[in-house]
Amino acid sequence: MVFELTNTDVSSANALRRVMIAEVPTIAIDLVEMENNTTVLNDEFLAHRLGLIPLTSDEATNWKRPFEWSSDHDMIETSFSLDVTCTVDGVMDVTSNDLIPMYPEHRVQPANYNTPEEKPIVICKLRRGQQLKLVARARKGIGKDHAKFIPVATAVFQFKPRIVLSHSAMADMTDDEKQAFVHSDPSKTFKFNPITRMVRLRRDGDWHPDPGAG
Amino acid sequence: MDGEATDFFAATFSIEEEDHTLANSLRFFLNKNPHVSFCGYSMPHPSEELVNLRVQTTGQVTAMQAVKAACEDLQQVCGHMRSTLTSAVAKYQQDEQAREQQTR
């Protein structure tokens, strides 16, 4: 889905962008209790990687943040367990599909959990005999607290230019000049119609910046 | 702000725990107000979440009233954006379903 914002000001668009990045709450793993780690990666490294795994956060609005006032009935965290031992010769991947929700009724799980068409996120790789066993607790947070809570890959906005072609100028140009004008744009915004001998916008005013620029 | 300063026509508001997200939007809505002669904001230091918003009015409204009106305008605009977005998304999903049923 592409969203178009019209009849507003830069500051509103920018505020929307800033809020999308920093202040939309999401759920991510915040606390990791290691029981056994004989992998090549150390504990805090694995905890950092686990925190960055995106979790489905539709429930985030109903939860309370860790230091926010909450009563006994409010949701503040859920837990995942991970218990993988490599028993085969060769390298075994520990992926986000191995994170088992301890409370499935909370409806929080890693993104694309057990989806066959999507590749899961690799947490670490094991060799024969190595084991990883832990319990991870996920909490609600916002982008300002830690980058793992940022829900968007990135949020950008761009002015959509209004391109108006001057018909009087076009009447003065020869066909070759018009074609040269059309070819000079690497993004191919314009199109030359040889029958009417007119230059027009290619896709109803869509404009994209040069892929090599910026 | 001090209690007795609510009837001044020029004031500097020090807002804590806020940054450009709110300050720039407020500045925009304050500028739209015809009774505001000057409006600007600054951040004394980027590491500190503090914004100084300076408002000077022509004398027909107090600075406090101008900022209050700007906040209410901002609230209305956000509410409008939210309802427009909700209805646009619902319409888009309806169109998608209709298109899927047609292609079947």
Side-chain angles (χ1 to χ4, degrees), chain A:
Chain A
M1 260 190 266
V2 175
F3 293 99
E4 251 188 39
L5 192 65
T6 50
N7 288 334
T8 183
D9 178 67
V10 189
S11 65
S12 312
N14 195 31
L16 205 61
R17 183 192 65 88
R18 287 178 68 98
V19 168
M20 269 196 270
I21 291 174
E23 295 188 47
V24 174
T26 40
I27 300 173
I29 291 175
D30 221 10
L31 205 67
V32 175
E33 293 163 1
M34 288 286 184
E35 197 175 312
N36 189 2
N37 174 19
T38 43
T39 61
V40 293
L41 303 174
N42 49 14
D43 290 352
E44 56 267 24
F45 196 102
L46 282 169
H48 179 250
R49 285 182 71 82
L50 284 165
L52 292 171
I53 294 172
L55 306 176
T56 54
S57 302
D58 299 312
E59 295 292 311
T61 41
N62 302 328
W63 283 26
K64 296 270 184 216
R65 287 168 65 193
F67 300 107
E68 206 180 334
W69 186 90
S70 59
S71 66
D72 287 333
H73 308 287
D74 288 321
M75 277 297 307
I76 51 167
E77 72 175 27
T78 185
S79 310
F80 294 89
S81 71
L82 183 80
D83 186 1
V84 182
T85 312
C86 183
T87 47
V88 297
D89 270 330
V91 174
M92 181 183 183
D93 285 347
V94 179
T95 68
S96 55
N97 287 340
D98 296 315
L99 272 172
I100 302 166
M102 285 165 72
Y103 307 99
E105 67 272 14
H106 291 168
R107 290 187 302 218
V108 177
Q109 60 186 26
N112 294 327
Y113 190 55
N114 285 332
T115 313
E117 318 74 80
E118 301 278 348
K119 280 197 288 192
I121 298 171
V122 174
I123 300 169
C124 78
K125 301 192 179 194
L126 303 178
R127 194 179 180 269
R128 182 175 238 273
Q130 289 176 347
Q131 190 191 16
L132 180 60
K133 187 164 185 210
L134 53 90
V135 170
R137 297 188 197 287
R139 294 196 185 140
K140 171 180 173 179
I142 58 175
K144 273 191 192 176
D145 295 339
H146 193 287
K148 69 189 176 197
F149 293 114
I150 295 178
V152 294
T154 188
V156 291
F157 71 89
Q158 183 191 82
F159 283 109
K160 214 172 147 185
R162 208 171 47 164
I163 303 174
V164 174
L165 293 165
S166 160
H167 286 274
S168 54
M170 265 205 282
D172 291 335
M173 286 164 72
T174 66
D175 281 357
D176 285 338
E177 280 175 352
K178 285 180 199 163
Q179 290 218 326
F181 173 69
V182 167
H183 285 301
S184 67
D185 182 11
S187 338
K188 295 191 178 25
T189 345
F190 304 106
K191 202 170 169 180
F192 179 67
N193 189 336
I195 304 170
T196 61
R197 290 161 57 230
M198 297 273 273
V199 176
R200 63 171 181 83
L201 289 170
R202 192 160 75 91
R203 267 187 318 236
D204 290 325
D206 261 11
W207 174 84
H208 302 272
D210 291 340

Side-chain angles (χ1 to χ4, degrees), chain B residues 51-87:
Chain B
V51 169
N52 288 335
L53 182 71
R54 174 84 187 157
V55 181
Q56 281 169 213
T57 67
T58 53
Q60 284 162 306
V61 292
T62 65
M64 194 72 158
Q65 287 171 338
V67 173
K68 197 158 169 247
C71 288
E72 284 163 357
D73 288 341
L74 186 58
Q75 239 180 338
Q76 274 188 347
V77 167
C78 291
H80 171 76
M81 263 202 273
R82 184 180 191 165
S83 55
T84 318
L85 177 71
T86 322
S87 52

